């Protein structure tokens, strides 16, 4: 399957290993992956602040980069959610609509599109706390939101991780409470963001988690910042890295 | 010009009170958990939500008809129906009713609308004594603070705070912070005030067009005392509180308290249809921006709100920062989408006092798209040129940098150089909010792009 | 233009489009929903899901369970004599008992009350409720049953006679039976007065009744009362 790789700006800058793992994983699963070099950012930081005018150039650049592809895959729930649901600072031309409709997040691509049955190369004998970001759960439908008490439980991320040898998923007290990253919220509402991050990290730590795993590196970036400040023996890892089975 | 509310600074001050914040977060999350447990017992919960949402949408899209029907039916039962365009008119209408009856003292139950209109200071300035009868509201009244939560107005206070307050104002033992002792003291203090009051005032949770009556839900029964003892009962009801028929009450009442506290109903669900034997009943129907909001395609759904408080219980930002952070009558997620409609400039920061997690939308019994509205309010604030200077400049710079590949690369290099080489004192100071409680990310050897060019584009 | 016309004009001008129809039905047939959506299956694995009675089963046990959860209590009484004895047993030192029901005599006649303020010293109020709601352990009282509406909320303790046959399942059922305009005041009482305003600690007897006691007794003419 031929597809384009969408690497969010902060992953390009700070977590290239997540991009590498995503690329390698997709190739292992038989995809032919191209990485358009001129991609920058999906526009989310500006759009989330309500600044449509400031978001438009980045959004236009994204469409320019990806309009030639039938499928775009990116390892970020919040960025993909922005593309599919909020990329409207620019004119909704046929190309724009096509790019918006064909952008897939990694977990949903693996689980729903490729329907991957196994990751035979992957082994991860650790206690893992799964963090489904808010956009992943309530925006993209990665798992049943805890508010939907009577809905049947499901978790796409849990299903994928369940196929990794040795991996032990650990439940925490507040499984889908927001970690507090929230985009520029993390600095504009610093006290609340930090407290939310502290509470979230403590919840994982209390339950004996070794690795916090997520499909959203932005949440992990925030939680890692807290972990490092508190000097806790916790590590963060992107799901792509686990599923790829490669060096961490 | 009114001061802009700074929810972030207020929240930071509450969080600095470690015991207050952790207790508040634990108790209010507990209310979310009670809600979950109650919902588990109602297999048709999602169907009820959909029904409730549709009934409200139907009513609001036919609101004029239902308002007229309510007025006609209420009047036929002997209720006096008044109308008020805004807060000022509400207050003067109420004052006129009270002074016509030579009222010197009023005992009132919880009404967000009366709070919204600033009714109490207005009446007190004109020599009418107003006492809150709800325990939480009375605590707040004695503290000179607005309520911090729609259902439990003083939930941000510790029992020791209440003990200190009551010792001052009620003469209780300052060392006794047992909630039973304090509640009993309030009961004994309030009862004579009820007996002496010339009028009782309430709000209204639901106004039923078909019957011309309205429903008030309390746990204490204080609305009932205020309505059944003094000879005059005045109720302030927002025009959005209308529902079509008596049977519709079943849908809403089955969800109201379950969403709020996790109980199947409030202890008292009181129905008023015309004056009681020996009494007089007045209803003031209030607009105060509601008709304007009705005309907003993005924001009219907020009028469906039944004031259950489930959104603030689940909101992680509300639970950490406390309800007083919002600086308004309405706090929590519903406050974020209502308050800017009252004063966009004063409340321009509220839409940013949210991580957009979306939990509020999921628990709202009438399916208000709260989180989406919070997002949309940000656009309204930005488009009105009301973003703070730092945000505006920051977003403009980001917008340019993040759109152009060469600028983007350059910015990455600069950022990485600075992070890798700058001394700690330069990186971690008051100019860097991230660094106050977190470590900055470490710098990788190369960006993904650089790795790709080196390892994949070579030889292709 | 007066306020009324101004508001109605503004509302009419701003009515959202398109108009939304009133939903076709809201008799929620619990069993149909639960069965059709397959809820019953997996809900059996969820902890503490309330078991609402199936068709044919009495809803009384559920009513009593909910009443207790809301802070109320109940007793079975065989007849008027037993009801009298129960009230005397529960409130041996009560000086002022105001009863509206023939089964239990009090010492304050409700018919003599000219002004609700006179009921401020009532320690025990005794009334009969015509309707109970199982899902909330709630009972309905209107001005008919209370005669003076303040009795329900000024009494320090409330005793409510209830015929178990008068208990319906849900609020939908209850509103199907009630004519709200038949009385200027009507209240569903779910347990006694309560508050959780101080650190969420549940306290009974906040303003109204400190206790709510339901005496299960069939209604009808009671011989010898």
């Amino acid at each position: 399957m031929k597809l384009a790789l969408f690497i969010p700006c902060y992953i390009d800058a700070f977590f290239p290993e997540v991009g590498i793992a995503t690329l390698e994983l997709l190739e292992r699963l038989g995809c032919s992956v191209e990485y358009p070099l001129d991609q920058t950012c999906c526009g989310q930081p500006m759009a989330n602040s309500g600044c449509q005018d400031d978001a438009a150039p980045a959004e236009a650049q994204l469409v320019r980069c990806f309009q030639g592809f039938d499928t775009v895959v990116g390892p970020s729930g919040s960025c993909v959610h922005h593309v599919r649901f909020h990329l409207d600072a620019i004119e909704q031309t046929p190309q724009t609509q096509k790019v918006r409709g064909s952008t897939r997040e990694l977990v949903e691509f693996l689980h729903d599109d490729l329907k991957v049955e196994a990751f035979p190369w992957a082994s991860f004998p650790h206690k893992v706390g799964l963090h489904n970001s808010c956009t992943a759960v309530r925006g993209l439908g990665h798992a049943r939101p805890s508010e939907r008490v009577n809905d049947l439980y499901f978790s796409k991320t849990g299903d994928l991780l369940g196929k990794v040898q040795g991996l032990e998923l650990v439940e925490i007290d507040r499984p889908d409470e927001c970690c507090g990253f929230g985009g520029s919220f993390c600095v504009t509402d610093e006290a609340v963001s930090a407290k939310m991050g502290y509470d979230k990290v403590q919840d994982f730590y209390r339950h004996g988690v070794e690795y916090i795993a997520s499909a959203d590196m932005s949440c992990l970036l925030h939680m890692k910042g807290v972990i490092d400040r508190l000097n806790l023996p916790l590590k963060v890892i992107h799901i792509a890295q686990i599923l790829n089975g490669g060096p961490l | 010009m009114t001061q802009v509310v700074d929810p972030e600074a207020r929240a930071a001050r509450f969080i600095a009170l470690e015991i207050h914040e952790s207790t508040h977060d634990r108790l209010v999350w507990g209310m979310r958990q009670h809600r979950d447990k109650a919902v588990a017992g109602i297999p048709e919960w999602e169907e009820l939500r959909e029904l409730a949402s549709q009934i409200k949408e139907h009513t609001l899209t036919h609101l004029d008809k239902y308002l007229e029907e309510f007025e006609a039916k209420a009047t036929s039962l002997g209720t006096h129906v008044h109308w008020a365009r805004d807060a000022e008119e509400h207050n003067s209408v109420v004052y006129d009713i009270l002074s016509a009856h030579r009222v010197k003292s009023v005992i009132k139950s919880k009404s967000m609308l009366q709070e919204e209109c600033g009714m109490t200071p207005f009446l007190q300035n004109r020599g009418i004594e107003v006492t809150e009868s709800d325990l939480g509201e009375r605590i707040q009244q004695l503290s000179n603070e607005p309520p911090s939560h729609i259902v439990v107005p003083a939930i941000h206070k510790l029992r020791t705070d209440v003990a200190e307050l009551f010792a001052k104002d009620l003469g209780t033992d300052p060392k006794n912070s047992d909630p039973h002792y304090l509640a009993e003291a309030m009961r004994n203090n309030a009862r004579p005030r009820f007996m002496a009051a010339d009028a009782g005032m309430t709000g209204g949770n639901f106004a039923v067009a078909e019957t011309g009556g309205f429903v008030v839900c309390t746990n204490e029964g204080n609305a009932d005392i205020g309505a059944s003892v003094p000879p005059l009962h005045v109720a302030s009801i927002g025009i959005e509180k209308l529902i079509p028929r008596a049977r519709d009450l079943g849908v809403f009442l089955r969800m109201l308290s379950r969403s709020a506290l996790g109980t199947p109903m409030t202890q008292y669900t009181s129905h008023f249809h015309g004056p009681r034997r020996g009494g007089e009943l007045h209803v003031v129907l209030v607009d105060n921006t509601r008709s304007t909001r009705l005309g907003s395609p993005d924001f009219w759904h907020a009028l469906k709100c039944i004031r259950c408080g489930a959104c603030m219980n689940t909101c992680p930002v509300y639970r950490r920062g406390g309800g007083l952070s919002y600086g308004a009558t309405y706090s929590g997620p519903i406050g974020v989408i209502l308050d800017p409609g009252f004063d966009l400039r004063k409340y321009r920061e509220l839409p940013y006092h949210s991580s957009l997690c979306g939990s509020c939308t999921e628990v709202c019994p009438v399916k208000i798209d709260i989180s989406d509205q919070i997002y949309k309010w940000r656009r309204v604030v930005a488009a009105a040129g009301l973003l703070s200077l730092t945000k505006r400049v920051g977003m403009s710079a980001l917008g340019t940098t993040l759109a152009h590949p060469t600028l983007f690369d350059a910015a990455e290099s600069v950022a990485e150089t600075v992070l890798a080489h700058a001394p700690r004192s330069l990186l971690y100071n008051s100019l860097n909010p991230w660094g106050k409680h977190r470590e900055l990310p470490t710098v990788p050897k190369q960006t993904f792009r650089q790795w790709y060019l080196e390892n994949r584009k070579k030889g292709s | 233009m007066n306020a009324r016309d101004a508001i109605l004009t503004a509302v009419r001008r701003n009515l959202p489009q398109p108009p939304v129809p009133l939903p076709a039905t809201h008799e929620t047939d619990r069993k149909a929903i639960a069965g059709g959506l397959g809820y019953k299956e997996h809900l059996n694995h969820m902890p503490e899901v309330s078991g609402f009675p199936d068709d044919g089963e009495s809803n009384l046990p559920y009513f009593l369970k909910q009443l207790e959860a809301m802070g109320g209590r109940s007793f079975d009484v065989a007849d008027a004599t037993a009801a009298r004895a129960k009230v005397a047993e529960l409130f041996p030192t009560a000086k002022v008992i105001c009863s509206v029901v023939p089964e239990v005599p009090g010492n304050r006649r409700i018919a003599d009350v000219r002004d609700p303020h006179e009921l401020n010293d009532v320690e025990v109020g005794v009334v009969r409720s015509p309707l109970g709601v199982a899902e909330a352990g709630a009972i309905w009282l209107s001005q008919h049953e209370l005669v003076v509406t303040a009795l329900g909320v000024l009494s320090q303790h409330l005793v409510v006679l209830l015929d178990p046959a008068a208990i319906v399942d849900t609020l939908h059922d209850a509103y199907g039976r009630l004519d709200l305009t038949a009385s200027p005041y009507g209240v569903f009482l779910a347990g006694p007065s309560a508050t959780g305003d101080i650190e969420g600690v549940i306290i009974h007897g906040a303003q109204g009744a400190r206790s709510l006691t339901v005496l299960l007794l069939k209604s009808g003419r009671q011989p010898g009362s």
Side-chain angles (χ1 to χ4, degrees):
Chain A
M1 190 179 191
K2 187 165 174 300
L3 51 86
L5 186 61
F6 164 35
I7 297 295
C9 54
Y10 63 98
I11 291 185
D12 182 55
F14 295 113
F15 306 104
E17 66 274 18
V18 174
I20 297 166
T22 305
L23 171 59
E24 291 181 352
L25 176 62
L26 291 170
E27 287 175 340
R28 270 199 227 248
L29 293 166
C31 300
S32 154
V33 183
E34 209 178 301
Y35 171 68
L37 286 163
D38 277 350
Q39 62 183 278
T40 53
C41 166
C42 67
Q44 199 192 174
M46 292 73 74
N48 270 15
S49 295
C51 303
Q52 287 289 79
D53 291 344
D54 296 320
E59 294 188 1
Q61 179 68 4
L62 182 127
V63 172
R64 262 195 299 276
C65 281
F66 292 111
Q67 62 190 355
F69 297 90
D70 287 332
T71 310
V72 180
V73 179
S76 167
S78 68
C79 303
V80 169
H81 181 266
H82 173 73
V83 172
R84 287 226 294 270
F85 290 84
H86 285 143
L87 204 99
D88 56 9
I90 52 176
E91 195 194 330
Q92 299 298 295
T93 61
Q95 292 98 313
T96 303
Q97 288 178 56
K98 180 184 173 217
V99 168
R100 289 185 69 183
S102 39
T103 301
R104 306 291 290 157
E105 181 276 333
L106 180 64
V107 167
E108 63 186 359
F109 183 68
L110 297 173
H111 187 278
D112 300 343
D113 302 352
L114 293 186
K115 299 189 179 27
V116 179
E117 287 295 311
F119 299 92
W121 49 79
S123 160
F124 202 76
H126 300 285
K127 286 189 152 79
V128 172
L130 175 54
H131 175 72
N132 284 315
S133 76
C134 297
T135 35
V137 174
R138 298 181 195 92
L140 294 176
H142 275 195
R144 182 198 73 171
S146 63
E147 299 88 354
R148 294 277 183 150
V149 176
N150 296 333
D151 286 6
L152 274 167
Y153 181 78
F154 74 95
S155 172
K156 297 183 188 178
T157 23
D159 285 352
L160 292 175
L161 290 177
K163 300 183 200 304
V164 174
Q165 205 233 355
L167 192 150
E168 186 189 335
L169 276 176
V170 175
E171 288 212 10
I172 61 173
D173 289 337
R174 302 186 188 180
D176 56 21
E177 188 189 31
C178 181
C179 70
F181 175 66
S184 54
F185 173 84
C186 72
V187 289
T188 59
D189 220 327
E190 185 277 329
V192 177
S193 169
K195 188 67 188 18
M196 287 166 69
Y198 271 48
D199 288 345
K200 194 78 196 182
V201 165
Q202 295 285 6
D203 199 352
F204 282 117
Y205 181 57
R206 246 194 337 268
H207 289 85
V209 162
E210 296 170 64
Y211 282 87
I212 303 175
S214 180
D216 270 274
M217 207 59 214
S218 46
C219 301
L220 294 176
L221 155 73
H222 163 71
M223 284 190 269
K224 181 170 200 305
V226 170
I227 289 167
D228 289 347
R229 177 59 59 87
L230 293 178
N231 239 315
L232 290 174
L234 274 166
K235 300 197 231 330
V236 304
I237 186 168
H238 192 281
I239 283 175
Q241 297 168 278
I242 296 178
L243 298 177
N244 191 39
L248 299 177
Chain B
M1 196 132 58
T2 34
Q3 181 86 324
V4 174
V5 169
D6 185 351
E8 290 102 8
R10 291 168 179 240
R13 283 198 288 275
F14 187 70
I15 289 169
L17 306 171
E18 285 178 21
I19 302 176
H20 281 80
E21 186 274 329
S22 59
T23 305
H24 184 257
D25 176 65
R26 176 174 52 83
L27 290 176
V28 181
W29 178 253
M31 288 163 71
R32 156 73 205 274
Q33 290 178 300
H34 290 135
R35 170 254 177 212
D36 286 358
K37 197 162 152 198
V39 168
I42 310 286
E44 67 271 28
W45 183 260
E46 290 299 322
E47 230 236 7
L48 282 175
R49 286 182 78 209
E50 184 56 34
L51 277 172
S53 175
Q54 283 181 37
I55 294 168
K56 277 282 179 176
E57 287 181 16
H58 166 78
T59 313
L60 290 166
T61 54
H62 298 83
L63 189 59
D64 56 329
K65 176 182 101 137
Y66 285 115
L67 283 168
E68 287 172 317
E69 191 186 348
F70 174 81
E71 181 193 40
K73 287 285 163 50
T75 308
S76 74
L77 292 173
T79 305
H80 300 266
V81 178
H82 309 260
W83 301 71
R85 278 164 279 215
D86 55 25
E88 288 73 37
E89 190 161 32
H90 165 268
N91 295 344
S92 52
V93 164
V94 166
Y95 178 70
D96 287 346
I97 298 168
L98 296 177
S99 54
H101 289 80
R102 298 198 225 286
V103 170
K104 283 276 153 282
S105 67
V106 165
I107 188 122
K108 68 185 286 298
S109 65
K110 243 203 303 263
S111 166
M112 301 307 291
L113 174 60
Q114 287 167 350
E115 172 81 33
E116 177 191 314
C117 293
M119 183 193 80
T120 297
F122 180 90
L123 292 178
Q124 295 195 313
N125 286 340
R126 282 154 184 79
I128 297 179
E129 188 188 23
V130 179
T131 308
E132 294 286 349
S133 59
D134 175 83
L135 176 59
E137 289 287 351
R138 186 85 196 280
I139 290 169
Q140 289 311 92
Q141 184 180 33
L142 292 172
S143 312
N144 238 319
E145 288 174 350
S148 74
H149 188 290
I150 280 177
V151 177
V152 280
I155 197 69
H156 62 294
K157 283 187 154 48
L158 299 175
R159 63 187 72 186
T160 42
D161 297 328
V162 181
E164 197 181 308
L165 186 70
F166 280 14
K168 213 168 25 97
D169 284 289
L170 266 65
T172 51
D173 173 7
K175 292 199 196 58
N176 190 343
S177 62
D178 174 19
H180 290 85
Y181 168 71
L182 295 166
E184 182 70 20
M186 178 57 78
R187 181 194 174 93
N188 295 330
N189 183 278
R191 185 57 81 93
R193 286 172 182 266
F194 275 118
M195 293 301 119
D198 303 314
M201 293 194 73
T202 69
N205 289 75
F206 305 98
V208 184
E210 177 192 47
T211 61
F214 60 97
V215 176
V216 182
C217 303
T218 67
N219 285 306
E220 296 181 34
N222 51 324
D224 305 75
I225 307 183
S228 64
V229 177
L232 176 63
H233 174 187
V234 182
S236 307
I237 305 181
I239 55 174
E240 83 283 25
K241 296 300 181 71
L242 268 288
I243 59 173
R245 308 163 297 188
R247 57 203 286 237
D248 299 318
L249 287 168
V251 176
F252 295 103
L253 291 171
R254 293 188 73 211
M255 289 201 294
L256 179 63
S257 196
R258 286 188 171 98
S259 300
L261 297 169
T263 55
M265 287 176 86
T266 47
Q267 316 283 119
Y268 292 76
T269 307
S270 318
H271 305 61
F272 300 100
H273 287 80
R276 63 167 173 83
R277 195 174 290 125
E280 201 172 306
L281 177 60
H282 291 250
V283 167
V284 188
L285 294 170
V286 184
D287 182 346
N288 200 33
T289 78
R290 286 151 176 79
S291 60
T292 306
R293 190 182 301 263
L294 192 63
S296 164
D298 284 338
F299 302 121
W300 72 271
H301 285 263
L303 293 169
K304 297 191 291 187
C305 178
I306 62 173
R307 307 288 192 262
C308 71
C311 60
M312 51 197 77
N313 293 345
T314 198
C315 178
V317 173
Y318 172 89
R319 279 183 277 108
R320 299 322 187 301
L324 297 181
S325 309
Y326 300 78
T329 301
Y330 302 99
S331 59
I334 188 67
V336 169
I337 66 177
L338 287 180
D339 300 326
F342 290 108
D343 190 331
L344 184 63
R345 196 184 168 274
K346 182 176 181 189
Y347 297 116
R348 67 185 198 198
E349 294 294 330
L350 291 196
Y352 299 93
H353 194 49
S354 163
S355 62
L356 294 176
C357 81
S359 187
C360 49
T361 303
E362 294 297 326
V363 299
C364 178
V366 290
K367 287 188 158 181
I368 302 171
D369 54 338
I370 305 176
S371 195
D372 287 347
Q373 289 196 30
I374 295 177
Y375 187 82
K376 285 175 184 164
W377 271 115
R378 295 181 180 190
R379 291 191 184 180
V380 173
V381 170
L386 286 172
L387 269 193
S388 64
L389 185 65
T390 30
K391 275 206 188 88
R392 229 179 308 149
V393 169
M395 283 305 139
S396 179
L398 259 187
T400 311
T401 313
L402 292 177
H404 299 97
T406 26
L407 285 177
F408 181 65
D409 285 345
E412 274 182 320
S413 314
V414 169
E416 281 162 8
T417 309
V418 169
L419 280 173
H421 299 294
R424 200 174 163 88
S425 57
L426 195 68
L427 292 173
Y428 293 90
N429 54 47
S430 58
L431 290 175
N432 174 15
W434 175 279
K436 195 161 177 212
H437 290 102
R438 291 164 286 210
E439 289 295 298
L440 288 161
T442 47
V443 176
K445 285 200 307 289
Q446 43 184 192
T447 64
F448 174 81
R449 178 179 286 96
Q450 287 163 344
W451 174 90
Y452 186 84
L453 284 168
E454 214 168 278
N455 293 278
R456 288 310 173 84
K457 257 331 204 202
K458 251 192 328 195
S460 67
Chain C
M1 208 193 265
N2 62 28
R4 176 188 187 277
D5 293 337
I7 292 171
L8 287 172
T9 303
V11 166
R12 271 184 208 110
R13 189 175 61 235
N14 286 318
L15 291 175
Q17 295 298 333
V20 175
L22 193 57
T25 174
H26 44 112
E27 264 87 29
T28 51
D29 180 348
R30 302 182 86 253
K31 278 162 65 69
I33 294 162
L37 294 175
Y39 278 141
K40 232 181 158 88
E41 287 299 310
H42 83 274
L43 276 179
N44 286 335
H45 304 294
M46 287 172 66
E48 302 187 79
V49 171
S50 62
F52 220 99
D54 288 331
D55 253 337
E57 281 177 42
S58 164
N59 58 20
L60 179 62
Y62 195 77
F63 171 84
L64 296 176
K65 185 172 90 128
Q66 293 298 84
L67 172 67
E68 200 180 304
M70 297 297 278
R73 60 184 174 177
S74 65
F75 300 97
D76 258 300
V77 290
D79 53 26
T81 313
R84 273 199 292 276
K86 198 47 152 184
V87 172
E89 177 201 325
L90 292 174
F91 306 103
T93 58
K95 288 187 207 58
V96 183
I97 300 179
C98 183
S99 172
V100 182
V101 298
E103 293 89 339
V104 179
N107 55 12
R108 174 72 58 82
R109 283 174 27 97
I110 196 76
D112 292 343
V113 175
R114 291 282 146 260
D115 184 302
H117 291 80
E118 297 164 38
L119 294 173
N120 191 29
D121 61 347
V122 172
E123 286 157 87
V124 183
V126 188
V127 294
R128 175 176 281 282
S129 168
L131 185 68
V133 186
E135 73 168 313
I139 54 101
W140 171 260
L141 293 171
S142 74
Q143 191 174 257
H144 295 297
E145 288 78 38
L146 293 163
V147 181
V148 179
T149 56
L151 180 67
V153 88
L154 287 183
S155 305
Q156 297 293 324
H157 301 274
L158 207 55
V159 175
V160 181
L161 271 51
L162 178 69
D163 187 339
I167 300 173
V168 297
D169 287 351
T170 68
L171 278 172
H172 303 300
D173 304 317
Y175 281 110
R177 296 227 191 153
L178 290 171
D179 174 9
L180 295 181
T181 60
S183 162
Y185 174 71
V187 64
F188 282 115
L189 291 184
S193 166
T195 182
D197 276 333
I198 303 177
E199 278 192 28
V201 174
I202 303 293
I203 289 156
H204 293 128
Q207 305 270 14
R210 294 176 188 272
S211 74
L212 183 81
T213 309
V214 172
L215 298 184
L216 297 163
L217 174 63
K218 273 160 59 81
S219 61
R221 281 194 306 122
Q222 302 293 320
S225 57

